[in-house]
Amino acid sequence: MDSQTKTARKAGLLYLIVAIFGGFAHFASRLQLIIPNNSSATVQNIRASESLFRIGFIADLVQLSCFVFLVLILYKLLKSVQKDYARTMLVIALIGVPIAAINMVHQFAVLLLLNNPEYMVLLEENQLNALAGLFLEFHNIGYAIAHIFFGLWLFPLGYLVYQSGFLPRFLGILLMLATFGYTIHMLTGFLWPNYDAITSWGALFSGFIEILFCLWLLVKGVRFSPKINNKST
């Protein structure tokens, strides 16, 4: 019991780190500096607050690294419930990590572009701004692709929580619902971008559910001995 609670609280702590660093990178850095459909203003913001842009980049690297360990610890915690579902959760979650990590090259490319004197000589200012904006659009697309998997992994996670017997069933249900909040929002951005602002509320709901789950793991841990079921699905 003590071992399971410690494992749950380790997961909760890592989840909190992921939420803080990921939230900073997205909300306090990118959303503050990047102006949609205005590459000129975006470049001005990045030049004026380059340190914030760089810190946001590092924050994303930290949260992605912590996310890997988070998923591994959750696998350890939940594999006794149903191993096949736990493996599915693990694989889907980890698919998103290399996509997100490689995609960050596009974000850092903006700094290379704006700080290389050769590019500043070869390109006019409007061309430089447009190219920086294009790199950031590439980053936004890659970010959405990665977050499809960061949404999908919540469904097997929620199922395992629901079946566990040592975590609240209502959290399992909410986590399964959170899958749709993320995936619908990301897919809407590709299919019907005009409705992106509407479906963003679903993504916010999903984020709230993840924070709720994180706090439960951190504060409560587990309630009693886990139910063991290693049968294949």
Side-chain angles (χ1 to χ4, degrees):
M1 179 62 184
D2 288 342
S3 175
Q4 292 290 333
T5 296
K6 287 179 181 178
T7 301
R9 286 181 172 152
K10 286 178 184 177
L13 179 60
L14 282 170
Y15 223 140
L16 185 61
I17 293 172
V18 168
I20 291 172
F21 280 80
F24 178 87
H26 185 64
F27 294 103
S29 180
R30 283 192 295 271
L31 287 188
Q32 296 301 314
L33 299 177
I34 298 173
I35 310 299
N37 303 316
N38 193 334
S39 58
S40 177
T42 297
V43 168
Q44 289 179 9
N45 287 344
I46 293 173
R47 280 177 167 159
S49 303
E50 185 175 320
S51 295
L52 178 61
F53 194 75
R54 288 179 181 274
I55 292 170
F57 180 86
I58 295 299
D60 250 343
L61 287 177
V62 171
Q63 68 96 3
L64 283 172
S65 302
C66 290
F67 182 77
V68 172
F69 292 104
L70 164 65
V71 177
L72 291 173
I73 291 175
L74 285 175
Y75 174 78
K76 177 182 178 182
L77 179 68
L78 295 167
K79 67 180 179 179
S80 62
V81 178
Q82 198 165 70
K83 189 167 283 187
D84 282 356
Y85 271 92
R87 286 171 178 164
T88 301
M89 175 198 74
L90 182 68
V91 170
I92 294 174
L94 293 182
I95 286 174
V97 174
I99 296 173
I102 294 171
N103 177 60
M104 289 180 64
V105 171
H106 295 123
Q107 182 177 337
F108 201 81
V110 175
L111 293 174
L112 298 178
L113 182 66
L114 298 181
N115 288 298
N116 191 318
E118 183 180 356
Y119 297 141
M120 297 179 72
V121 170
L122 293 175
L123 300 172
E124 296 180 5
E125 185 177 356
N126 62 334
Q127 293 175 321
L128 198 70
N129 294 343
L131 192 53
L134 181 61
F135 280 131
L136 291 173
E137 281 298 320
F138 285 156
H139 176 269
N140 192 45
I141 292 169
Y143 184 86
I145 293 171
H147 275 72
I148 291 173
F149 294 97
F150 292 149
L152 290 175
W153 86 289
L154 295 175
F155 195 88
L157 172 62
Y159 177 82
L160 291 165
V161 169
Y162 182 83
Q163 293 287 346
S164 68
F166 56 90
L167 289 165
R169 285 195 158 195
F170 79 89
L171 281 177
I173 294 171
L174 290 175
L175 285 166
M176 287 187 278
L177 291 175
T179 297
F180 300 100
Y182 281 135
T183 53
I184 289 173
H185 176 56
M186 298 306 166
L187 292 174
T188 298
F190 293 122
L191 295 171
W192 304 287
N194 291 334
Y195 296 95
D196 186 72
I198 297 174
T199 57
S200 65
W201 290 101
L204 286 174
F205 164 79
S206 299
F208 173 77
I209 297 308
E210 285 198 89
I211 291 172
L212 183 63
F213 181 54
C214 157
L215 293 176
W216 183 278
L217 291 173
L218 193 59
V219 177
K220 294 287 189 179
V222 299
R223 297 190 297 189
F224 43 80
S225 298
K227 179 175 71 175
I228 298 175
N229 179 10
N230 286 323
K231 292 181 181 180
S232 299
T233 55

